[in-house]
Amino acid sequence: MNTLAVVAGLSKSGGGTSYSVPAWSNALAHEQVQRTLVTVLNPGEETSGFVDQKLVHLMNVGGFRVPLLSISWAPRLTKTLLRVCEETGVDLIHNHGIWLPANHSASVVSKKLNIPLVVTPHGMLTSWSVNYKWLKKRIAWWGYQKKDLDQARVIHLTSFDEEKDLRKLGFKGTMAVIPNGVDIPAWQERPQKEKANRTALFVSRIHPKKGLLNLVEAWKQVRPKGWKMRLVGPDEGGHQAVVQAAVREKGLESDFIFSGPLYGKDLVEAYWQADLFVLPTMSENFGNVVAEALSYGIPVITTHGTPWEELETSNCGWWIPLGVDPLALALRKATELTDSQRREMGKNGRKLVENKYTWDSVGKQMKTLYEWVLGGGTKPTFLNVG
């Protein structure tokens, strides 16, 4: 089976797709699915480095930023995709993301060559995301995006909440729900700490969607003694300055640490040093960092904007309504636990991802989906035909 994956970017400072798309590609390659991954690379950008190029053929197509539209455009992308499909005999195209020119190019090539198309929106069709900068998206929806989605044989989603949001938009086609996976680190016991040295960790983009202003307000209400709040991730659109101003206004400068983006061993160390993970997001299709934190044995606080109800059912965290007060209550509960109680919750989370969210498991499911699309397999149990 020869497949082509397309994603608008794999920038080292990008969002979750910079990790999840390479991870999907690597997992499928381990399942003997031949894989070419094409992305746009702008001047001065550095790719995330997660693609195993011994298994996956990575192609970077030169592009440039269009500042007024906040998009990247690669003039040669469509021709490149056509050439790859024709020269290598691509059986299926997997389009990662929507709205962007690169994603539309993949749909154009799929239609032109009559190659089956699978689309993964990566959370870009959740209610919050659709309403954010809604005018630009409304124009794109009626201009090309709805047609591109209707053209897909299957829309792949990572949660049932995401599926519900897409049905609300009127999509009646076939959808498959397969979660993202996580690379599970080798286990190590968490270090013993002094009482006045506890850390709550946030890892993601510094973006309005992530609910950080709610976090500042909630932290002010609780202000747990001996705790620091560490924010790890790249600033997007200048939002970090807004969050820092809120921190100063509340007199919390000594409580908040802005570490910027961390990678490799530095990020691993940040996870192992954390006692609690907090993602107060407004909306996520999956929330890769939640699974990552659980894999390190860290209890998690996140919102109903994510699909992580299992935090409650598996006793490994708090799944809370959006807003300041629910977040403050969860922070108070989490920080008042003993270290041993938090560690026990963390071990429960580790078991959850080991049993359900490994890349080996989700790679097998995606291969099964591809086989069904190409007519070579029975209908998967995770498929919902509209």
Side-chain angles (χ1 to χ4, degrees), residues 256-268:
F256 275 74
I257 302 167
F258 291 82
S259 297
L262 297 178
Y263 306 104
K265 292 181 180 179
D266 292 332
L267 181 57
V268 169

Side-chain angles (χ1 to χ4, degrees), residues 77-98:
L77 181 60
T78 300
K79 289 184 178 180
T80 300
L81 296 178
L82 285 168
R83 177 174 55 80
V84 170
C85 290
E86 291 171 341
E87 290 181 355
T88 65
V90 167
D91 299 306
L92 179 147
I93 296 174
H94 193 154
N95 198 356
H96 288 275
I98 63 170

Side-chain angles (χ1 to χ4, degrees), residues 2 40 53 102 193 208 210 213 249 256 262 273 300 303 317 330:
N2 186 4
V40 177
Q53 296 191 51
K193 294 184 176 181
K210 303 301 178 177
L213 295 181
E249 181 185 342
F256 275 74
L262 297 178
Q273 290 296 323
V300 173
T303 70

Side-chain angles (χ1 to χ4, degrees), residues 208-243:
K209 174 182 175 181
K210 303 301 178 177
L212 292 175
L213 295 181
N214 284 350
L215 175 59
V216 174
E217 181 63 37
W219 194 271
K220 175 64 175 178
Q221 289 187 24
V222 179
R223 203 160 193 189
K225 186 176 180 180
W227 283 77
K228 302 288 186 184
M229 183 69 235
R230 186 180 188 186
L231 306 184
V232 173
D235 179 24
E236 185 158 320
H239 189 60
Q240 180 168 315
V242 176
V243 178

Side-chain angles (χ1 to χ4, degrees), residues 127-367:
S127 296
W128 190 95
S129 295
V130 169
N131 290 322
Y132 184 66
K133 297 182 179 179
W134 66 272
L135 180 58
K136 182 169 68 172
K137 289 174 181 175
R138 186 67 58 85
I139 294 170
W141 179 258
W142 293 113
Y144 62 87
Q145 188 57 72
K146 185 177 185 301
K147 295 176 183 176
D148 288 353
L149 289 173
D150 289 341
Q151 175 191 330
R153 297 283 184 89
V154 178
I155 306 295
H156 160 236
L157 308 167
T158 54
S159 74
F160 290 103
D161 288 345
E162 195 179 9
E163 180 186 19
K164 291 176 185 177
D165 284 340
L166 191 49
R167 292 294 187 204
K168 288 177 184 177
L169 288 172
F171 183 76
K172 302 184 185 302
T174 301
M175 292 189 273
V177 178
I178 304 173
N180 282 338
V182 64
D183 292 315
I184 300 179
W187 180 253
Q188 63 184 57
E189 293 296 330
R190 311 198 77 73
Q192 298 292 328
K193 294 184 176 181
E194 299 294 332
K195 287 186 177 181
N197 185 23
R198 302 288 179 273
T199 301
L201 179 67
F202 163 92
V203 178
S204 196
R205 296 173 295 146
I206 310 298
H207 184 277
K209 174 182 175 181
K210 303 301 178 177
L212 292 175
L213 295 181
N214 284 350
L215 175 59
V216 174
E217 181 63 37
W219 194 271
K220 175 64 175 178
Q221 289 187 24
V222 179
R223 203 160 193 189
K225 186 176 180 180
W227 283 77
K228 302 288 186 184
M229 183 69 235
R230 186 180 188 186
L231 306 184
V232 173
D235 179 24
E236 185 158 320
H239 189 60
Q240 180 168 315
V242 176
V243 178
Q244 288 175 318
V247 168
R248 287 192 300 270
E249 181 185 342
K250 302 296 181 184
L252 299 173
E253 295 97 324
S254 62
D255 291 35
F256 275 74
I257 302 167
F258 291 82
S259 297
L262 297 178
Y263 306 104
K265 292 181 180 179
D266 292 332
L267 181 57
V268 169
E269 183 66 17
Y271 275 121
W272 282 123
Q273 290 296 323
D275 303 280
L276 177 68
F277 189 86
V278 186
L279 182 69
T281 182
M282 303 296 179
S283 174
E284 303 287 332
N285 64 307
F286 180 71
N288 293 340
V289 291
V290 172
E292 286 180 9
L294 294 175
S295 76
Y296 284 90
I298 312 170
V300 173
I301 297 173
T302 193
T303 70
H304 292 177
T306 74
W308 281 96
E309 185 177 0
E310 287 172 306
L311 294 177
E312 299 279 352
T313 57
S314 296
N315 190 29
C316 54
W318 296 262
W319 189 60
I320 61 172
L322 294 172
V324 173
D325 291 341
L327 180 55
L329 179 61
L331 285 170
R332 185 172 287 110
K333 288 180 178 179
T335 56
E336 287 178 353
L337 294 176
T338 64
D339 286 346
S340 61
Q341 287 172 321
R342 280 190 298 271
R343 285 173 180 160
E344 192 62 32
M345 292 182 75
K347 289 178 180 178
N348 292 339
R350 169 80 174 204
K351 291 177 184 176
L352 173 63
V353 295
E354 286 177 337
N355 291 335
K356 191 172 179 180
Y357 296 107
T358 65
W359 280 115
D360 284 347
S361 172
V362 299
K364 287 179 171 62
Q365 291 180 72
M366 185 59 74
K367 181 182 181 182

